[in-house]
Amino acid sequence: MGSVRGWLIIAVALMAAEPAFAGVCADLRPGWDASLGAVTWWHEVPRVLSSFPGLVVLASLGFGLWRPHLWISTACAVPALAFAGLLSFSYRAETAVLARAEGCMASVWPVAVLLVALAGLTIVRAWQRG
């Protein structure tokens, strides 16, 4: 009978901890539905890049690729590198850890790597043209 009581205590503790997770995702991702399953990285990439800062960074990179002068391209790559750095630093934030534990947020490392690669492409293209 002792093992059944232990499992009941664990089950009650897990049910009590669930609303704390739900509060994080309700604030961070209000449209997320838990019945659809956890968010994957290929769903996270368009979500981050379609946000306002993501669109500003993509527009900046587009302008840098369109006008491949070294100073312009370097200035246009800096916001992408800054946004990638911000994403990588926010990965370990407490709310991000709780959101990933619940499943409403995925890893942002693929987005950060993509932004660094696009910034590098912008600068390399300007070096080749210059």
Side-chain angles (χ1 to χ4, degrees):
M1 187 70 178
S3 64
V4 173
R5 186 174 8 160
W7 283 108
L8 286 175
I9 291 171
I10 291 173
V12 169
L14 289 176
M15 285 189 288
E18 189 174 344
F21 283 151
V24 171
C25 282
D27 292 339
L28 290 179
R29 306 277 171 95
W32 179 71
D33 186 14
S35 64
L36 297 176
V39 175
T40 57
W41 68 269
W42 57 83
H43 292 113
E44 193 71 24
V45 170
R47 183 174 183 102
V48 170
L49 292 180
S50 66
S51 67
F52 181 72
L55 291 174
V56 168
V57 165
L58 289 177
S60 174
L61 288 172
F63 183 74
L65 287 170
W66 180 55
R67 303 289 295 182
H69 299 289
L70 184 59
W71 291 106
I72 293 173
S73 295
T74 303
C76 290
V78 168
L81 296 173
F83 192 48
L86 181 67
L87 287 172
S88 63
F89 284 129
S90 69
Y91 183 77
R92 294 182 57 163
E94 182 181 348
T95 54
V97 170
L98 291 174
R100 281 192 309 274
E102 188 177 351
C104 66
M105 181 183 277
S107 175
V108 293
W109 287 109
V111 182
V113 169
L114 177 67
L115 287 173
V116 169
L118 287 173
L121 173 71
T122 304
I123 294 172
V124 167
R125 184 165 186 261
W127 272 100
Q128 290 176 346
R129 291 283 183 139

